Amino acid sequence: MNAKLRTPLLWLLPCLLLGGHVAAQPDEHAPLATSATLRFRDILDSTLHNAPEMSGTEVRQQQAQAYAGAAHSWLAGRPSAVVAYINDNTLDHQGLQEQEYGVQLPLWRPGEKRDAMHLGEQYQQQSQLWLQALQLTLAGRVRNLLAGITEAEQLLAIEQQATSDAQQLKAVTQRLFETGAVARIDVLQTDNLLLEQQQRLLQAEAAMKDAEIVYRVTTGLNLKPATAFIETLNSADEITPAHPLLQYLQSSVDVAAASIRQSEMSARGNPQLTVGTRRQRGDRFQPTIDSVAISVTIPFGGSAYVSSRTSAARMQEVDAQVQLRNTQREMQLALHEAEHELSVTRARLPLAQQQAAIGNERSELAQRAFALAELNLVQVLPAMQEARTSARALAMLQQRQQRLIADYNQVLGVLP
């Protein structure tokens, strides 16, 4: 796609794709509505449109266009007006006069125009690669947002179920107290248990609201997917040069390398062609002579001066190369770390599932036995608490697996 058209389209995509998904001035504390048709790409496009970093897109494009336009100019720089006036009134006073008017034109050195065009092309390519790298970075934000919402939803569901169990336990305890099967202290204990559980439920609801507010502010959307976002682990195990971030960093190296040649040419100076007219007379008794004046100025030598002026550009190239190599190394290490943690998490999941199933069954059996007055409250409460703890641990472990898969794909530079 043409770089000039990309920015306007990015601003229009969220509206075209989502239609009525974006409401005007929503209540930020209102729960997000769900949509079965909302895709990851839709959320990413809206996040890209809403991202503060997008303000740099136009500036980068203008920079690339400015360098490209300068390279296509006939002149190597700005022309200058030349005016000269000579007389001998203050010295010999013979009436000598000389006037010169002209234009000084900087000329391209051999190969300089080609190098300038190459630098303009590098800036244009860097502008496009920067947008791709930004898109990947924002995809990571969206992944974290969706994972945060899914985690909050799972924990909220667990607390809602735990609250329902506490209410049922309170009702059973009250019934048993009325029949004389349990003491008043058991009723008070179940009342306290319900209050504590309601506080945990309020905390889970607050966490859910916080996750949705961050999602709404970051994406600019008032809708979230109806189902949890699940990624598939990519089969690649190496960071390739095609990674969007590495491509952008490589373009920085290329720009720095092209800038060195440009700095060398600038330090050497450009030939100057001066074209103008001259009016002169030797003294007041001679006639005035009009002529055309053409001169060429060619700078030469000064290799030490050229080297000093290009040292900063060479240092920028070295810094860009170091950043590229360090980033590639860090991403490869992050990839292996995510792979290792994912392997450990997958090994723990079956154990956590078994533990959660056992805890749930034990809690149900204990509550039924308590309703039949076969167990006392002291025996029931630990079973219920362990069931909730194991359910929370399982939910967190399942969500961690999904986060690690997303992290692995993010490091690889893969979009969902």
Side-chain angles (χ1 to χ4, degrees):
M1 182 184 294
N2 190 322
K4 296 181 179 179
L5 300 177
R6 182 178 286 108
T7 300
L9 286 178
L10 287 173
W11 287 83
L12 292 174
L13 272 173
C15 298
L16 295 176
L17 291 173
L18 304 181
H21 290 182
V22 182
Q25 302 298 328
D27 180 8
E28 65 175 10
H29 296 287
L32 290 174
T34 60
S35 170
T37 60
L38 187 63
R39 303 170 302 168
F40 184 93
R41 184 70 213 189
D42 300 332
I43 303 174
L44 178 58
D45 287 337
S46 184
T47 304
L48 193 62
H49 156 72
N50 204 44
E53 294 88 341
M54 283 300 295
S55 60
T57 303
E58 185 177 355
V59 176
R60 289 176 177 273
Q61 291 176 352
Q62 290 175 350
Q63 180 190 39
Q65 292 168 2
Y67 274 95
H72 287 84
S73 173
W74 287 99
L75 300 177
R78 295 180 302 171
S80 303
V82 178
V83 179
Y85 176 75
I86 301 174
N87 66 52
D88 65 346
N89 289 342
T90 59
L91 296 174
D92 292 341
H93 198 60
Q94 299 296 317
L96 180 146
Q97 285 189 1
E98 183 176 329
Q99 302 172 14
E100 183 177 346
Y101 304 92
V103 177
Q104 191 175 59
L105 307 174
L107 305 179
W108 293 103
R109 279 181 172 270
E112 184 181 6
K113 187 177 179 68
R114 180 190 64 247
D115 294 337
M117 293 178 66
H118 178 66
L119 179 59
E121 292 170 356
Q122 293 299 324
Y123 270 111
Q124 288 179 329
Q125 184 178 13
Q126 185 186 49
S127 176
Q128 298 173 3
L129 294 175
W130 175 82
L131 189 59
Q132 294 179 12
L134 174 61
Q135 187 180 55
L136 177 63
T137 300
L138 295 182
R141 292 185 193 175
V142 173
R143 282 170 161 139
N144 287 331
L145 291 173
L146 295 178
I149 287 180
T150 300
E151 181 178 315
E153 288 175 341
Q154 291 177 345
L155 294 179
L156 178 59
I158 292 173
E159 299 303 337
Q160 288 173 339
Q161 181 60 48
T163 303
S164 177
D165 293 341
Q167 290 173 339
Q168 293 179 7
L169 181 64
K170 178 180 181 302
V172 170
T173 305
Q174 182 65 34
R175 179 176 59 79
L176 292 176
F177 170 71
E178 292 173 356
T179 60
V182 298
R184 173 64 178 168
I185 193 172
D186 291 335
V187 175
L188 296 177
Q189 190 168 0
T190 56
D191 287 343
N192 187 61
L193 175 66
L194 178 58
L195 292 174
E196 291 178 352
Q197 183 53 47
Q198 287 174 336
Q199 290 180 358
R200 284 192 287 267
L201 178 60
L202 290 175
Q203 291 175 353
E205 290 174 345
M208 185 70 209
K209 288 182 180 179
D210 290 342
E212 290 186 340
I213 288 174
V214 175
Y215 172 90
R216 179 184 284 114
V217 171
T218 305
T219 65
L221 297 175
N222 301 314
L223 284 180
K224 63 181 179 180
T227 57
F229 174 66
I230 299 177
E231 283 193 62
T232 303
L233 186 68
N234 193 279
S235 59
D237 59 358
E238 293 290 336
I239 303 295
T240 67
H243 191 287
L245 180 56
L246 294 183
Q247 284 187 322
Y248 170 65
L249 293 178
Q250 180 60 55
S251 72
S252 298
V253 175
D254 296 338
V255 167
S259 298
I260 292 176
R261 183 63 178 168
Q262 188 79 357
S263 298
E264 290 176 346
M265 291 293 184
S266 177
R268 288 193 179 101
N270 294 96
Q272 304 287 333
L273 173 64
T274 303
V275 180
T277 61
R278 176 178 295 176
R279 170 169 288 190
Q280 60 185 357
R281 71 180 184 185
D283 56 45
R284 63 176 57 87
F285 303 105
Q286 294 181 3
T288 300
I289 301 174
D290 293 325
S291 60
V292 175
I294 299 178
S295 64
V296 177
T297 304
I298 301 178
F300 62 92
S303 58
Y305 174 77
V306 172
S307 297
S308 65
R309 291 291 298 271
T310 58
S311 59
R314 295 183 187 278
M315 184 60 69
Q316 289 179 355
E317 182 189 22
V318 172
D319 291 342
Q321 290 175 342
V322 170
Q323 184 180 8
L324 172 62
R325 294 171 184 172
N326 284 339
T327 301
Q328 187 171 14
R329 181 182 302 174
E330 290 170 1
M331 288 195 302
Q332 192 65 49
L333 291 174
L335 189 68
H336 290 313
E337 182 67 20
E339 184 180 20
H340 172 69
E341 291 189 19
L342 182 59
S343 177
V344 173
T345 301
R346 283 177 167 174
R348 292 175 56 192
L349 262 176
L351 304 178
Q353 291 171 342
Q354 294 178 18
Q355 190 173 8
I358 292 173
N360 185 57
E361 183 177 2
R362 183 186 173 202
S363 176
E364 291 178 354
L365 291 175
Q367 291 181 65
R368 285 201 296 266
F370 178 71
L372 298 174
E374 296 176 354
L375 294 178
N376 57 42
L377 189 61
V378 176
Q379 295 171 307
V380 175
L381 292 181
M384 295 180 64
Q385 292 172 352
E386 289 176 8
R388 289 195 298 270
T389 300
S390 59
R392 293 189 190 102
L394 176 60
M396 295 299 293
L397 202 58
Q398 290 173 334
Q399 189 55 35
R400 176 157 181 77
Q401 176 182 236
Q402 289 302 315
R403 282 183 180 272
L404 287 172
I405 291 175
D407 289 346
Y408 188 92
N409 292 342
Q410 178 72 19
V411 175
L412 275 178
V414 177
L415 295 179

